[in-house]
Amino acid sequence: MAERDGIVDVLSLAVARVRGAIDSLDGGSARDADRFVRDRYRSSRISPAGTVIRMEIASGITTSVLVDGVQMDLVIEVRGRRADMPVPPGQFAEALARFAG
């Protein structure tokens, strides 16, 4: 478990769960990735920087993904703290691009 000063770092655990979910998708098929994005979609909006898609990628972990062409940035927020990470190229990124397009 991720710890900080002896206390479980919930944000680090959430990031690890999201990375695990993305990694498992990237090893699968495009159809599985499309279904994953569709099933976990919560809302979307258009911003000046691109399309923002809110999803529950892992159980109880809601994320925002900014889709701007091929560049995608994912924000994970837990208890007032946030982590930003790029979406790696793969089935998940391709499914997001199709969904946002």
Side-chain angles (χ1 to χ4, degrees):
M1 264 189 223
E3 292 190 22
R4 190 179 61 189
D5 299 328
I7 299 170
V8 173
D9 186 345
V10 177
L11 182 59
S12 292
L13 291 176
V15 169
R17 288 178 63 196
V18 168
R19 285 187 193 271
I22 292 173
D23 287 347
S24 68
L25 278 179
D26 285 345
S29 73
R31 187 177 65 239
D32 292 340
D34 285 339
R35 187 174 69 241
F36 181 93
V37 170
R38 196 172 48 251
D39 290 351
R40 286 159 178 78
Y41 169 81
R42 296 296 174 258
S43 66
S44 63
R45 63 182 170 82
I46 304 297
S47 77
T51 302
V52 178
I53 298 174
R54 294 201 34 92
M55 302 176 61
E56 185 177 357
I57 292 187
S59 177
I61 302 171
T62 303
T63 63
S64 298
V65 185
L66 173 63
V67 180
D68 180 24
V70 295
Q71 175 67 33
M72 297 185 200
D73 297 298
L74 189 146
V75 177
I76 303 163
E77 293 185 65
V78 178
R79 296 182 184 171
R81 294 174 56 220
R82 62 182 266 168
D84 300 290
M85 59 184 265
V87 175
Q91 298 289 349
F92 177 62
E94 291 168 13
L96 277 173
R98 282 191 293 273
F99 192 83

